[in-house]
Amino acid sequence: MTNSVIETSSLTKDHVSHFLRKRFRVVDGLTLTVERSETFGLLGLNGAGKTTTLKLLLGLLRPTAGSATVLGFPAGDRRALAKIGFLPENPYFYSYLTGSEFLDFAGLTFGIAKQERRERAEQLLQLVSMSHAGDTPIRKYSKGMMQRLGIAQSLMNDPELIFWDEPTSGLDPIGRRDVRLILHKLKDRGKTIFFNSHLLPDVSEICDRVGVLHKGKLVGSEKVSTVTGGGGYQNLEEYFLECVNCEGAAR
Amino acid sequence: MTNLVGPVLAIARNTLRETVRDRIVYVFLVFAFVITLAGILLGSLSVGQDLRILEDIGLATIAFIGGIIAIFVGTSLVYKEIERRTIYLIVTKPIARWQFILGKYLGLSSCVLLVTFAMGAFLLGTICACSHEHVINPLLMESVLLIYVELLFVTAIATFFSTFATPVMSVVFTLALWLIAHMGQSLRDLARVSDNAGVTRLFEAIYWFVPDLAKLTQVRADLMYSRQPEPELLGFLLSYVLAYIILLLSFSTVVTERREFP
């Protein structure tokens, strides 16, 4: 049995502009493997194709070419989605619901029983330090509170695989620290984590391995321990910059 | 089985919450109550037909305001999810597209049911208040139920258009289709009187393509004259509307299935 949780092969995605029908490549022949219990960080500049890659893995977008399997199923398969937790970048929720109602809704979509939903919602609100705001309508939430709720909903089904897009975006230093602690807890429980981030110190602290995406191409993939411990780089930033500067030269 | 029904119920309940917490529904509801009360004024201008006028105006109000709510809320039902990006949190869960569409539809249908019931109850209360001796037409509520059946159809059209068109365009399309659906016989008459074979074929094609709700309106009118329709006719009309609803929801599912969420 393979130990790979995510496998992509020459994954390619083209976007077509609405007006002139001009085609431009967003993800270009991405071949990537993420192992079970690994924490993988996908790095890249704005517009590098990180979010598009994530959307391809979740089945929100269909690839132009190539293939992707997640948890042994084609990307977007409902059997895989049942074991996945997803936090989109700058998450939006139903403003007319309260935080607790939204978590209950999320739990119900996974077919979780009522009592279990209630208990899990309470635990997760506690985990993201939002117990005080469970009964507050989401429209009154700050950006940081929305992010915390997004994290909570992504863990509602106790997922095997976690996709987080910019999880520390919009959070203050305490919020960022809290997210790092949550990620450490999830790592300790053997969860596979795939996340996109711009914040290299966070990635350096949490990830086992990183991939650098530049103009849709994977230009580097390396273990963080190798990069920071005797890999010839002072820190992850130096590695990242070198990968981006040596565009196309996959390491 | 739970996995099939659970997500549908989750989305339906969520949609119902969304719609009943929307102030616009209450604005329309108050408007409907005001028009119904205006029926008392208009009835007083008639000679001995005041309650009949009140009934007619009340039922027309239920049909119209119910339709407006179904259209205005329904046409933004799916579009709003995409626009506000809340759809990301739905389609990345183990929910089939048909469950999403059915849940949305059932949620809005439940809201329309509540609104129809509220307007029906208000009409009944107004009739009772206007004349204590008046024997309430026992078929009045049956007539309200038939209005609801029609509103279920309008909701399905609105849901269908909301899967691919902007809310403004969806409102236009839904209103147009709803209106044409009441003009089935006129379309056939137009086809018959035209000398141009092409025009005849065009109107015939539109007639066969667009649902015909005129008969449903006719049955409703008959009910108000205490004429109970044949059960076969009623069964046929209900099956006819149900078939169209299934067809529209199936099309909505296909559109959503083919869609990407960039």
Side-chain angles (χ1 to χ4, degrees), chain A residues 13 55 60-62 78 81-82 86 88 92-94 96-97 101-102 104-106 108-110 153, chain B residues 7 10 13-14 17-18 21 81 84-86 88-96 257-258 260-262:
Chain A
K13 180 66 185 174
K55 285 178 179 173
L60 289 166
L61 297 174
R62 277 186 288 275
R78 287 201 300 281
L81 291 176
F86 171 54
Y92 288 84
F93 303 103
Y94 302 106
Y96 49 87
L97 294 183
E101 282 174 347
F102 184 75
D104 188 67
F105 166 70
L108 194 53
T109 59
F110 285 108
Q153 66 81 32
Chain B
R13 197 173 69 170
N14 196 34
R17 269 185 184 146
E18 176 182 2
R21 290 177 189 181
E81 293 263 11
R84 291 183 184 170
R85 294 193 278 167
T86 45
Y88 290 164
L89 298 167
I90 303 281
V91 292
T92 52
K93 304 237 173 341
I95 298 174
E257 197 88 53
R258 291 171 59 88
E260 288 189 299
F261 302 97

Side-chain angles (χ1 to χ4, degrees), chain B residues 29-207:
Chain B
L29 209 52
V30 169
F31 188 54
F33 294 161
V34 171
I35 299 177
T36 305
L37 290 174
I40 301 172
L41 194 71
L42 282 173
S44 67
L45 300 174
S46 71
V47 183
Q49 291 296 311
D50 48 342
L51 288 168
R52 167 52 50 82
I53 287 175
L54 179 59
E55 282 174 354
D56 285 348
I57 288 181
L59 287 176
T61 304
I62 295 172
F64 180 68
I65 297 293
I68 292 292
I69 290 173
I71 289 171
F72 276 88
V73 180
T75 48
S76 58
L77 213 58
V78 177
Y79 188 85
K80 217 159 63 181
E81 293 263 11
I82 297 164
E83 190 74 359
R84 291 183 184 170
R85 294 193 278 167
T86 45
I87 192 92
Y88 290 164
L89 298 167
I90 303 281
V91 292
T92 52
K93 304 237 173 341
I95 298 174
R97 300 294 195 264
W98 69 264
Q99 290 173 314
F100 172 65
I101 293 294
L102 186 62
K104 282 270 153 200
Y105 177 74
L106 291 179
L108 180 56
S109 301
S110 310
C111 172
V112 173
L113 177 68
L114 291 176
V115 169
T116 309
F117 178 78
M119 289 190 288
F122 186 80
L123 176 62
L124 217 58
T126 311
I127 292 170
C128 285
C130 284
S131 171
H132 293 295
E133 299 88 47
H134 178 66
V135 180
I136 291 171
N137 187 343
L139 299 176
L140 183 75
M141 285 322 275
E142 209 170 304
S143 199
V144 173
L145 274 177
L146 281 183
I147 291 175
Y148 180 62
V149 170
E150 183 175 333
L151 293 179
L152 285 177
F153 168 74
V154 177
T155 306
I157 306 175
T159 307
F160 169 63
F161 285 124
S162 81
T163 56
F164 61 88
T166 61
V168 175
M169 293 312 290
S170 297
V171 167
V172 173
F173 293 151
T174 309
L175 272 173
L177 203 57
W178 189 26
L179 191 71
I180 295 170
H182 283 281
M183 299 166 72
Q185 196 50 49
S186 304
L187 284 169
R188 298 203 91 177
D189 291 344
L190 270 171
R192 206 173 300 126
V193 296
S194 175
D195 294 332
N196 189 318
V199 172
T200 304
R201 271 200 296 273
L202 176 73
F203 282 120
E204 280 287 345
I206 294 173
Y207 174 77

Side-chain angles (χ1 to χ4, degrees), chain B residues 229-249:
Chain B
E230 294 290 322
E232 291 82 10
L233 176 64
L234 210 54
F236 167 75
L237 286 173
L238 292 178
S239 314
Y240 181 79
V241 172
L242 182 70
Y244 259 103
I245 290 171
I246 292 172
L247 197 68
L248 284 164
L249 295 184

Side-chain angles (χ1 to χ4, degrees), chain A residues 23-190:
Chain A
R23 188 176 281 268
F24 53 97
R25 192 146 284 185
V26 189
V27 177
D28 193 357
L30 177 69
T31 299
L32 182 77
T33 304
V34 177
E35 304 295 329
R36 191 169 294 278
S37 300
E38 190 176 29
T39 302
F40 184 86
L42 191 60
L43 310 176
L45 303 171
N46 288 332
K50 304 187 296 294
T51 299
T52 304
T53 302
L54 229 151
K55 285 178 179 173
L56 285 165
L57 293 174
L58 286 158
L60 289 166
L61 297 174
R62 277 186 288 275
T64 307
S67 63
T69 57
V70 178
L71 293 163
F73 298 104
D77 191 291
R78 287 201 300 281
R79 286 165 293 183
L81 291 176
K83 300 172 191 171
I84 288 174
F86 171 54
L87 167 72
E89 187 181 6
N90 300 323
Y92 288 84
F93 303 103
Y94 302 106
S95 55
Y96 49 87
L97 294 183
T98 66
S100 298
E101 282 174 347
F102 184 75
L103 290 182
D104 188 67
F105 166 70
L108 194 53
T109 59
F110 285 108
I112 301 170
K114 193 175 179 178
Q115 185 60 28
E116 199 181 339
R117 284 202 308 270
R118 194 173 298 161
E119 285 168 8
R120 205 169 285 177
E122 276 173 26
Q123 287 166 8
L124 288 170
L125 283 171
Q126 206 167 5
L127 181 76
V128 296
S129 311
M130 287 273 288
S131 298
H132 63 286
D135 295 326
T136 307
I138 295 174
R139 65 173 173 273
K140 293 184 179 169
Y141 280 14
S142 66
K143 197 179 173 193
M145 288 165 88
M146 298 268 258
Q147 193 73 6
R148 285 166 190 265
L149 182 66
I151 289 170
Q153 66 81 32
S154 73
L155 302 174
M156 199 61 196
N157 58 331
D158 192 18
E160 276 181 39
L161 171 60
I162 294 159
F163 285 106
W164 281 359
D165 197 357
E166 304 285 355
T168 46
S169 156
L171 292 176
D172 54 30
I174 296 172
R176 277 175 58 189
R177 186 204 60 197
D178 289 350
V179 170
R180 284 200 301 270
L181 288 174
I182 293 168
L183 278 164
H184 279 300
K185 279 183 194 169
L186 293 168
K187 266 184 82 158
D188 292 344
R189 290 179 58 202

